[in-house]
Amino acid sequence: MAKKKKAGKKSSNKSKAKKKKVVRKKSVKKIVVVPKKAGSNFLSSALKEIEQQLEALHINKKKMERELYLLALDFNDTQNEENVLRDKISKLVQKEAHLNTRKTKIKTNVQSLQEKINKVTRINAEMKGME
């Protein structure tokens, strides 16, 4: 019985193989024959064009790298200027704080002097009234 099973498998494999052959389509490839001179001229002109484009790309790359370098320099200069201006602002803020403290001290001194002047004028007026 084992022989029959093997034989059965072989026959099914053959039927599958036949189906595959029927499904496949044959394609016809067209071969274009280019004379050597025309093909070499075409290739050389294509290579020249590619070289020109590559050279243009190299030039563009160099320009862009130079622009990027200049922008980086400008950026650094701007950052340095910003730092200098920040330092100046912080110094001005310190001076402003110092001046505000002096202003408040002077205001208190002026108020105390005004009070003393008022006392002296009152005392002076009382003294004249006694005479």
Side-chain angles (χ1 to χ4, degrees):
M1 284 200 182
K3 291 182 181 179
K4 287 182 181 179
K5 287 182 181 177
K6 287 182 182 178
K9 285 183 181 177
K10 286 182 182 178
S11 63
S12 65
N13 286 341
K14 288 181 181 179
S15 63
K16 287 181 184 177
K18 287 181 182 179
K19 288 180 183 177
K20 288 182 182 177
K21 287 182 182 177
V22 171
V23 173
R24 292 182 186 169
K25 294 181 180 179
K26 292 183 179 179
S27 61
V28 179
K29 294 182 180 179
K30 294 182 181 179
I31 299 174
V32 178
V33 179
V34 178
K36 268 190 170 180
K37 290 182 180 179
S40 64
N41 287 339
F42 176 75
L43 288 177
S44 64
S45 66
L47 283 175
K48 284 180 185 179
E49 187 177 331
I50 290 172
E51 286 174 359
Q52 289 172 351
Q53 290 176 357
L54 187 62
E55 185 65 29
L57 288 173
H58 281 296
I59 291 169
N60 266 349
K61 180 183 174 186
K62 286 181 183 180
K63 284 181 183 178
M64 292 179 88
E65 285 175 345
R66 175 136 175 86
E67 286 178 17
L68 184 64
Y69 175 75
L70 293 175
L71 284 174
L73 287 178
D74 287 344
F75 183 73
N76 287 338
D77 291 343
T78 304
Q79 279 186 330
N80 291 337
E81 187 178 351
E82 180 183 6
N83 290 336
V84 167
L85 291 173
R86 277 192 185 144
D87 290 342
K88 286 181 179 181
I89 289 172
S90 65
K91 287 178 184 177
L92 288 173
V93 167
Q94 287 175 350
K95 284 183 182 180
E96 183 183 20
H98 178 70
L99 289 173
N100 283 335
T101 54
R102 282 186 60 196
K103 181 181 175 182
T104 55
K105 281 183 183 178
I106 291 172
K107 275 189 177 181
T108 56
N109 288 341
V110 167
Q111 282 179 342
S112 66
L113 284 174
Q114 189 65 37
E115 289 174 3
K116 287 179 184 177
I117 290 171
N118 287 338
K119 281 183 184 179
V120 168
T121 53
R122 195 172 9 118
I123 292 172
N124 195 12
E126 287 176 7
M127 296 284 274
K128 283 186 180 179
M130 290 183 155
E131 287 183 7

